[in-house]
Each structure stands twice: as structure tokens, then as C-alpha cells.
Amino acid sequence: MAMSSGPRMTMATQAVLRTLLEDPTRPRYGFDIAGEAGIATGSLYPILARLEHLTWLDSYWEDVADVHDGRPRRRYYRLSDTGAVAARDALDRASRRVPKSWRPAAGLA
């Protein structure tokens, strides 16, 4: 899949991108992203994998020294510089494709 084609813009993908765009340089781990985007982790990780494959996301594993309370290491994600630009553009294009009758009235969004 070429970077210019972008990911399939499902509602879940749009929610993930909006969540990441709130602070594009801030590393976020999956469970945090899923909670804020309002989607299940089972839906989240395939989306993150597609975005990373497109180079929209950078990711890394947390340092073992940072792990507390016996929990597993976290994988952190953040939008790449080009990914942040592409995400804004993709969300803008997706919002233009939604029929006006499906959009919330002003002040209700």
C-alpha cells in the first residue's frame, strides 16, 4: 500500500488518528489510545500496524527499567512528522465525503 493512498478511513481509524493528533509528538501506548479513542484493543492494534506500515507512526518498546508492578513492557506509538500531516489531510478528506445529512448539527459535535 503506497503512502499516498493512506489507510481505509473507518470510523475507528478516524478516532485513532484524532486521538494521536491531540498531541502528535507525545508517545502513547495502545491501551491508552484505545480508551481515549473509544475502541477495543482488538480493533486498535491492526489499525496501528497499518499506520506504522504506511510510516505514519513511529513506535518503540518501553525500556525494561521503566516497567513497574510486574506489568508487561508497553509499546509506544506517536505520529511521524509526515504521518501527522497525512493524518490531518486524510481526516479532512474523510469529513468531506460524509453526506451533510449524516453530520451532527452545529454545536452538537
Side-chain angles (χ1 to χ4, degrees):
M1 192 180 314
M3 185 168 164
S4 61
S5 66
R8 203 169 65 114
M9 292 301 289
T10 64
M11 297 305 283
T13 299
Q14 292 176 53
V16 168
L17 291 174
R18 281 189 196 95
T19 297
L20 292 168
L21 281 168
E22 288 174 6
D23 188 349
T25 61
R26 179 178 145 213
R28 312 275 301 264
Y29 60 96
F31 192 74
D32 178 45
I33 297 168
E36 199 163 318
I39 64 172
T41 56
S43 297
L44 173 70
Y45 289 105
I47 292 168
L48 293 176
R50 284 191 294 274
L51 295 174
E52 191 168 16
H53 179 76
L54 291 167
T55 70
W56 288 21
L57 288 182
D58 295 322
S59 71
Y60 64 92
W61 284 101
E62 159 179 62
D63 190 320
V64 174
D66 294 334
V67 175
H68 303 285
D69 302 321
R71 67 167 170 76
R73 287 188 324 158
R74 293 175 175 160
R75 186 165 187 84
Y76 284 89
Y77 302 88
R78 74 164 196 86
L79 286 166
S80 64
D81 292 339
T82 57
V85 171
R88 285 185 191 97
D89 183 53
L91 287 171
D92 182 54
R93 282 192 321 266
S95 71
R96 284 186 270 146
R97 285 193 302 256
V98 175
K100 289 191 184 274
S101 62
W102 291 4
R103 294 181 189 163
L108 297 178

PDB file of all heavy atoms in Angstrom, residues 27-30 45 52 58-67 71-78:
ATOM      1  N   PRO A  27       4.389  10.265  22.832  1.00  0.00           N
ATOM      2  CA  PRO A  27       4.273   8.809  22.705  1.00  0.00           C
ATOM      3  C   PRO A  27       3.104   8.298  23.548  1.00  0.00           C
ATOM      4  O   PRO A  27       2.910   8.719  24.689  1.00  0.00           O
ATOM      5  CB  PRO A  27       5.598   8.282  23.257  1.00  0.00           C
ATOM      6  CG  PRO A  27       6.522   9.451  23.259  1.00  0.00           C
ATOM      7  CD  PRO A  27       5.651  10.656  23.441  1.00  0.00           C
ATOM      8  N   ARG A  28       2.308   7.412  22.962  1.00  0.00           N
ATOM      9  CA  ARG A  28       1.135   6.844  23.628  1.00  0.00           C
ATOM     10  C   ARG A  28       1.192   5.324  23.502  1.00  0.00           C
ATOM     11  O   ARG A  28       1.564   4.820  22.453  1.00  0.00           O
ATOM     12  CB  ARG A  28      -0.148   7.333  22.957  1.00  0.00           C
ATOM     13  CG  ARG A  28      -0.243   8.825  22.698  1.00  0.00           C
ATOM     14  CD  ARG A  28      -0.754   9.593  23.866  1.00  0.00           C
ATOM     15  NE  ARG A  28      -2.064   9.185  24.290  1.00  0.00           N
ATOM     16  CZ  ARG A  28      -3.203   9.758  23.944  1.00  0.00           C
ATOM     17  NH1 ARG A  28      -3.208  10.769  23.108  1.00  0.00           N
ATOM     18  NH2 ARG A  28      -4.345   9.331  24.414  1.00  0.00           N
ATOM     19  N   TYR A  29       0.752   4.614  24.514  1.00  0.00           N
ATOM     20  CA  TYR A  29       0.700   3.154  24.417  1.00  0.00           C
ATOM     21  C   TYR A  29      -0.718   2.730  24.046  1.00  0.00           C
ATOM     22  O   TYR A  29      -1.689   3.479  24.189  1.00  0.00           O
ATOM     23  CB  TYR A  29       1.202   2.483  25.689  1.00  0.00           C
ATOM     24  CG  TYR A  29       0.444   2.821  26.948  1.00  0.00           C
ATOM     25  CD1 TYR A  29      -0.573   1.987  27.401  1.00  0.00           C
ATOM     26  CD2 TYR A  29       0.758   3.954  27.696  1.00  0.00           C
ATOM     27  CE1 TYR A  29      -1.272   2.282  28.567  1.00  0.00           C
ATOM     28  CE2 TYR A  29       0.071   4.258  28.852  1.00  0.00           C
ATOM     29  CZ  TYR A  29      -0.942   3.418  29.283  1.00  0.00           C
ATOM     30  OH  TYR A  29      -1.631   3.715  30.429  1.00  0.00           O
ATOM     31  N   GLY A  30      -0.833   1.518  23.532  1.00  0.00           N
ATOM     32  CA  GLY A  30      -2.070   1.032  22.942  1.00  0.00           C
ATOM     33  C   GLY A  30      -3.301   1.149  23.812  1.00  0.00           C
ATOM     34  O   GLY A  30      -4.340   1.642  23.363  1.00  0.00           O
ATOM     35  N   TYR A  45      -5.040  -2.537  17.427  1.00  0.00           N
ATOM     36  CA  TYR A  45      -3.706  -2.971  17.002  1.00  0.00           C
ATOM     37  C   TYR A  45      -3.587  -3.195  15.498  1.00  0.00           C
ATOM     38  O   TYR A  45      -2.552  -2.833  14.907  1.00  0.00           O
ATOM     39  CB  TYR A  45      -3.235  -4.157  17.832  1.00  0.00           C
ATOM     40  CG  TYR A  45      -2.924  -3.706  19.240  1.00  0.00           C
ATOM     41  CD1 TYR A  45      -3.773  -3.985  20.288  1.00  0.00           C
ATOM     42  CD2 TYR A  45      -1.805  -2.922  19.496  1.00  0.00           C
ATOM     43  CE1 TYR A  45      -3.508  -3.527  21.576  1.00  0.00           C
ATOM     44  CE2 TYR A  45      -1.528  -2.445  20.770  1.00  0.00           C
ATOM     45  CZ  TYR A  45      -2.382  -2.762  21.807  1.00  0.00           C
ATOM     46  OH  TYR A  45      -2.116  -2.295  23.068  1.00  0.00           O
ATOM     47  N   GLU A  52       1.584   2.161  10.927  1.00  0.00           N
ATOM     48  CA  GLU A  52       3.046   2.035  11.019  1.00  0.00           C
ATOM     49  C   GLU A  52       3.625   1.562   9.681  1.00  0.00           C
ATOM     50  O   GLU A  52       4.670   2.047   9.244  1.00  0.00           O
ATOM     51  CB  GLU A  52       3.416   1.084  12.150  1.00  0.00           C
ATOM     52  CG  GLU A  52       4.886   1.107  12.474  1.00  0.00           C
ATOM     53  CD  GLU A  52       5.220   0.396  13.772  1.00  0.00           C
ATOM     54  OE1 GLU A  52       4.397  -0.379  14.284  1.00  0.00           O
ATOM     55  OE2 GLU A  52       6.349   0.612  14.256  1.00  0.00           O
ATOM     56  N   ASP A  58       5.615   6.126  14.285  1.00  0.00           N
ATOM     57  CA  ASP A  58       6.864   5.582  14.802  1.00  0.00           C
ATOM     58  C   ASP A  58       6.492   4.838  16.071  1.00  0.00           C
ATOM     59  O   ASP A  58       5.549   5.238  16.775  1.00  0.00           O
ATOM     60  CB  ASP A  58       7.850   6.709  15.163  1.00  0.00           C
ATOM     61  CG  ASP A  58       8.291   7.506  13.947  1.00  0.00           C
ATOM     62  OD1 ASP A  58       8.493   6.901  12.872  1.00  0.00           O
ATOM     63  OD2 ASP A  58       8.428   8.739  14.078  1.00  0.00           O
ATOM     64  N   SER A  59       7.192   3.764  16.374  1.00  0.00           N
ATOM     65  CA  SER A  59       6.902   3.046  17.612  1.00  0.00           C
ATOM     66  C   SER A  59       8.198   2.513  18.207  1.00  0.00           C
ATOM     67  O   SER A  59       9.210   2.380  17.515  1.00  0.00           O
ATOM     68  CB  SER A  59       5.934   1.885  17.357  1.00  0.00           C
ATOM     69  OG  SER A  59       6.567   0.848  16.641  1.00  0.00           O
ATOM     70  N   TYR A  60       8.133   2.223  19.494  1.00  0.00           N
ATOM     71  CA  TYR A  60       9.279   1.635  20.194  1.00  0.00           C
ATOM     72  C   TYR A  60       8.779   0.943  21.456  1.00  0.00           C
ATOM     73  O   TYR A  60       7.708   1.256  21.968  1.00  0.00           O
ATOM     74  CB  TYR A  60      10.323   2.711  20.551  1.00  0.00           C
ATOM     75  CG  TYR A  60       9.832   3.750  21.518  1.00  0.00           C
ATOM     76  CD1 TYR A  60      10.006   3.595  22.897  1.00  0.00           C
ATOM     77  CD2 TYR A  60       9.169   4.892  21.068  1.00  0.00           C
ATOM     78  CE1 TYR A  60       9.541   4.548  23.786  1.00  0.00           C
ATOM     79  CE2 TYR A  60       8.705   5.849  21.952  1.00  0.00           C
ATOM     80  CZ  TYR A  60       8.892   5.670  23.310  1.00  0.00           C
ATOM     81  OH  TYR A  60       8.425   6.611  24.191  1.00  0.00           O
ATOM     82  N   TRP A  61       9.575  -0.012  21.919  1.00  0.00           N
ATOM     83  CA  TRP A  61       9.259  -0.702  23.168  1.00  0.00           C
ATOM     84  C   TRP A  61       9.818   0.087  24.336  1.00  0.00           C
ATOM     85  O   TRP A  61      10.929   0.618  24.267  1.00  0.00           O
ATOM     86  CB  TRP A  61       9.851  -2.108  23.180  1.00  0.00           C
ATOM     87  CG  TRP A  61       9.071  -3.063  22.338  1.00  0.00           C
ATOM     88  CD1 TRP A  61       9.391  -3.494  21.080  1.00  0.00           C
ATOM     89  CD2 TRP A  61       7.842  -3.690  22.689  1.00  0.00           C
ATOM     90  NE1 TRP A  61       8.425  -4.350  20.632  1.00  0.00           N
ATOM     91  CE2 TRP A  61       7.457  -4.496  21.591  1.00  0.00           C
ATOM     92  CE3 TRP A  61       7.013  -3.650  23.812  1.00  0.00           C
ATOM     93  CZ2 TRP A  61       6.297  -5.260  21.598  1.00  0.00           C
ATOM     94  CZ3 TRP A  61       5.858  -4.411  23.803  1.00  0.00           C
ATOM     95  CH2 TRP A  61       5.512  -5.202  22.719  1.00  0.00           C
ATOM     96  N   GLU A  62       9.072   0.139  25.381  1.00  0.00           N
ATOM     97  CA  GLU A  62       9.483   0.781  26.621  1.00  0.00           C
ATOM     98  C   GLU A  62      10.726   0.074  27.164  1.00  0.00           C
ATOM     99  O   GLU A  62      10.864  -1.135  27.040  1.00  0.00           O
ATOM    100  CB  GLU A  62       8.294   0.675  27.569  1.00  0.00           C
ATOM    101  CG  GLU A  62       8.549   0.795  29.018  1.00  0.00           C
ATOM    102  CD  GLU A  62       7.249   0.690  29.808  1.00  0.00           C
ATOM    103  OE1 GLU A  62       6.573  -0.347  29.750  1.00  0.00           O
ATOM    104  OE2 GLU A  62       6.936   1.657  30.499  1.00  0.00           O
ATOM    105  N   ASP A  63      11.606   0.836  27.774  1.00  0.00           N
ATOM    106  CA  ASP A  63      12.799   0.274  28.407  1.00  0.00           C
ATOM    107  C   ASP A  63      12.381  -0.612  29.574  1.00  0.00           C
ATOM    108  O   ASP A  63      11.483  -0.255  30.339  1.00  0.00           O
ATOM    109  CB  ASP A  63      13.675   1.426  28.903  1.00  0.00           C
ATOM    110  CG  ASP A  63      15.048   0.974  29.359  1.00  0.00           C
ATOM    111  OD1 ASP A  63      15.157  -0.082  30.010  1.00  0.00           O
ATOM    112  OD2 ASP A  63      16.006   1.691  29.049  1.00  0.00           O
ATOM    113  N   VAL A  64      13.017  -1.760  29.710  1.00  0.00           N
ATOM    114  CA  VAL A  64      12.680  -2.703  30.783  1.00  0.00           C
ATOM    115  C   VAL A  64      12.781  -2.032  32.153  1.00  0.00           C
ATOM    116  O   VAL A  64      11.986  -2.311  33.052  1.00  0.00           O
ATOM    117  CB  VAL A  64      13.597  -3.950  30.716  1.00  0.00           C
ATOM    118  CG1 VAL A  64      13.367  -4.881  31.888  1.00  0.00           C
ATOM    119  CG2 VAL A  64      13.390  -4.682  29.405  1.00  0.00           C
ATOM    120  N   ALA A  65      13.715  -1.110  32.327  1.00  0.00           N
ATOM    121  CA  ALA A  65      13.898  -0.434  33.617  1.00  0.00           C
ATOM    122  C   ALA A  65      12.690   0.421  33.983  1.00  0.00           C
ATOM    123  O   ALA A  65      12.484   0.740  35.149  1.00  0.00           O
ATOM    124  CB  ALA A  65      15.156   0.428  33.578  1.00  0.00           C
ATOM    125  N   ASP A  66      11.866   0.791  33.004  1.00  0.00           N
ATOM    126  CA  ASP A  66      10.698   1.626  33.266  1.00  0.00           C
ATOM    127  C   ASP A  66       9.450   0.830  33.640  1.00  0.00           C
ATOM    128  O   ASP A  66       8.418   1.407  33.972  1.00  0.00           O
ATOM    129  CB  ASP A  66      10.371   2.489  32.038  1.00  0.00           C
ATOM    130  CG  ASP A  66      11.462   3.508  31.758  1.00  0.00           C
ATOM    131  OD1 ASP A  66      12.174   3.903  32.707  1.00  0.00           O
ATOM    132  OD2 ASP A  66      11.602   3.908  30.588  1.00  0.00           O
ATOM    133  N   VAL A  67       9.531  -0.501  33.572  1.00  0.00           N
ATOM    134  CA  VAL A  67       8.371  -1.354  33.863  1.00  0.00           C
ATOM    135  C   VAL A  67       8.187  -1.452  35.371  1.00  0.00           C
ATOM    136  O   VAL A  67       9.129  -1.687  36.111  1.00  0.00           O
ATOM    137  CB  VAL A  67       8.541  -2.748  33.234  1.00  0.00           C
ATOM    138  CG1 VAL A  67       7.403  -3.665  33.631  1.00  0.00           C
ATOM    139  CG2 VAL A  67       8.645  -2.632  31.729  1.00  0.00           C
ATOM    140  N   ARG A  71       3.938  -5.460  35.368  1.00  0.00           N
ATOM    141  CA  ARG A  71       3.181  -5.404  34.128  1.00  0.00           C
ATOM    142  C   ARG A  71       4.130  -5.627  32.947  1.00  0.00           C
ATOM    143  O   ARG A  71       5.325  -5.416  33.037  1.00  0.00           O
ATOM    144  CB  ARG A  71       2.451  -4.080  33.980  1.00  0.00           C
ATOM    145  CG  ARG A  71       3.353  -2.889  33.805  1.00  0.00           C
ATOM    146  CD  ARG A  71       2.571  -1.660  33.344  1.00  0.00           C
ATOM    147  NE  ARG A  71       3.376  -0.475  33.393  1.00  0.00           N
ATOM    148  CZ  ARG A  71       4.322  -0.160  32.509  1.00  0.00           C
ATOM    149  NH1 ARG A  71       4.593  -0.966  31.522  1.00  0.00           N
ATOM    150  NH2 ARG A  71       5.014   0.948  32.627  1.00  0.00           N
ATOM    151  N   PRO A  72       3.563  -6.047  31.812  1.00  0.00           N
ATOM    152  CA  PRO A  72       4.410  -6.225  30.617  1.00  0.00           C
ATOM    153  C   PRO A  72       4.925  -4.889  30.095  1.00  0.00           C
ATOM    154  O   PRO A  72       4.346  -3.840  30.381  1.00  0.00           O
ATOM    155  CB  PRO A  72       3.474  -6.854  29.593  1.00  0.00           C
ATOM    156  CG  PRO A  72       2.197  -7.138  30.282  1.00  0.00           C
ATOM    157  CD  PRO A  72       2.203  -6.438  31.604  1.00  0.00           C
ATOM    158  N   ARG A  73       6.006  -4.943  29.321  1.00  0.00           N
ATOM    159  CA  ARG A  73       6.503  -3.731  28.677  1.00  0.00           C
ATOM    160  C   ARG A  73       5.449  -3.187  27.729  1.00  0.00           C
ATOM    161  O   ARG A  73       4.672  -3.932  27.150  1.00  0.00           O
ATOM    162  CB  ARG A  73       7.768  -4.023  27.852  1.00  0.00           C
ATOM    163  CG  ARG A  73       8.975  -4.268  28.675  1.00  0.00           C
ATOM    164  CD  ARG A  73      10.252  -4.353  27.849  1.00  0.00           C
ATOM    165  NE  ARG A  73      10.106  -4.982  26.550  1.00  0.00           N
ATOM    166  CZ  ARG A  73      10.941  -4.798  25.533  1.00  0.00           C
ATOM    167  NH1 ARG A  73      11.986  -4.007  25.659  1.00  0.00           N
ATOM    168  NH2 ARG A  73      10.758  -5.408  24.391  1.00  0.00           N
ATOM    169  N   ARG A  74       5.432  -1.883  27.579  1.00  0.00           N
ATOM    170  CA  ARG A  74       4.484  -1.227  26.678  1.00  0.00           C
ATOM    171  C   ARG A  74       5.181  -0.864  25.369  1.00  0.00           C
ATOM    172  O   ARG A  74       6.353  -0.513  25.357  1.00  0.00           O
ATOM    173  CB  ARG A  74       3.936   0.054  27.304  1.00  0.00           C
ATOM    174  CG  ARG A  74       3.074  -0.200  28.500  1.00  0.00           C
ATOM    175  CD  ARG A  74       2.672   1.102  29.148  1.00  0.00           C
ATOM    176  NE  ARG A  74       1.737   0.859  30.229  1.00  0.00           N
ATOM    177  CZ  ARG A  74       1.505   1.710  31.204  1.00  0.00           C
ATOM    178  NH1 ARG A  74       2.128   2.883  31.237  1.00  0.00           N
ATOM    179  NH2 ARG A  74       0.635   1.417  32.153  1.00  0.00           N
ATOM    180  N   ARG A  75       4.425  -0.924  24.300  1.00  0.00           N
ATOM    181  CA  ARG A  75       4.904  -0.422  23.013  1.00  0.00           C
ATOM    182  C   ARG A  75       4.270   0.959  22.846  1.00  0.00           C
ATOM    183  O   ARG A  75       3.064   1.118  22.981  1.00  0.00           O
ATOM    184  CB  ARG A  75       4.502  -1.334  21.875  1.00  0.00           C
ATOM    185  CG  ARG A  75       5.106  -0.923  20.549  1.00  0.00           C
ATOM    186  CD  ARG A  75       4.990  -2.057  19.537  1.00  0.00           C
ATOM    187  NE  ARG A  75       5.686  -1.751  18.326  1.00  0.00           N
ATOM    188  CZ  ARG A  75       6.988  -1.941  18.122  1.00  0.00           C
ATOM    189  NH1 ARG A  75       7.731  -2.471  19.079  1.00  0.00           N
ATOM    190  NH2 ARG A  75       7.549  -1.641  16.974  1.00  0.00           N
ATOM    191  N   TYR A  76       5.107   1.939  22.601  1.00  0.00           N
ATOM    192  CA  TYR A  76       4.649   3.317  22.457  1.00  0.00           C
ATOM    193  C   TYR A  76       4.593   3.711  20.984  1.00  0.00           C
ATOM    194  O   TYR A  76       5.437   3.297  20.188  1.00  0.00           O
ATOM    195  CB  TYR A  76       5.576   4.278  23.208  1.00  0.00           C
ATOM    196  CG  TYR A  76       5.352   4.240  24.691  1.00  0.00           C
ATOM    197  CD1 TYR A  76       6.040   3.354  25.501  1.00  0.00           C
ATOM    198  CD2 TYR A  76       4.429   5.089  25.288  1.00  0.00           C
ATOM    199  CE1 TYR A  76       5.826   3.315  26.877  1.00  0.00           C
ATOM    200  CE2 TYR A  76       4.203   5.058  26.658  1.00  0.00           C
ATOM    201  CZ  TYR A  76       4.907   4.168  27.434  1.00  0.00           C
ATOM    202  OH  TYR A  76       4.683   4.131  28.788  1.00  0.00           O
ATOM    203  N   TYR A  77       3.587   4.513  20.658  1.00  0.00           N
ATOM    204  CA  TYR A  77       3.353   4.972  19.288  1.00  0.00           C
ATOM    205  C   TYR A  77       3.231   6.486  19.296  1.00  0.00           C
ATOM    206  O   TYR A  77       2.704   7.067  20.233  1.00  0.00           O
ATOM    207  CB  TYR A  77       2.032   4.402  18.745  1.00  0.00           C
ATOM    208  CG  TYR A  77       1.984   2.905  18.746  1.00  0.00           C
ATOM    209  CD1 TYR A  77       1.547   2.208  19.873  1.00  0.00           C
ATOM    210  CD2 TYR A  77       2.369   2.180  17.622  1.00  0.00           C
ATOM    211  CE1 TYR A  77       1.505   0.815  19.878  1.00  0.00           C
ATOM    212  CE2 TYR A  77       2.316   0.788  17.622  1.00  0.00           C
ATOM    213  CZ  TYR A  77       1.883   0.122  18.751  1.00  0.00           C
ATOM    214  OH  TYR A  77       1.842  -1.245  18.750  1.00  0.00           O
ATOM    215  N   ARG A  78       3.696   7.089  18.221  1.00  0.00           N
ATOM    216  CA  ARG A  78       3.474   8.518  18.003  1.00  0.00           C
ATOM    217  C   ARG A  78       3.477   8.749  16.509  1.00  0.00           C
ATOM    218  O   ARG A  78       4.082   8.010  15.744  1.00  0.00           O
ATOM    219  CB  ARG A  78       4.500   9.386  18.697  1.00  0.00           C
ATOM    220  CG  ARG A  78       5.851   9.402  18.067  1.00  0.00           C
ATOM    221  CD  ARG A  78       6.699  10.582  18.584  1.00  0.00           C
ATOM    222  NE  ARG A  78       7.820  10.804  17.709  1.00  0.00           N
ATOM    223  CZ  ARG A  78       7.783  11.564  16.617  1.00  0.00           C
ATOM    224  NH1 ARG A  78       6.686  12.180  16.257  1.00  0.00           N
ATOM    225  NH2 ARG A  78       8.843  11.709  15.852  1.00  0.00           N
TER     226      ARG A  78
END
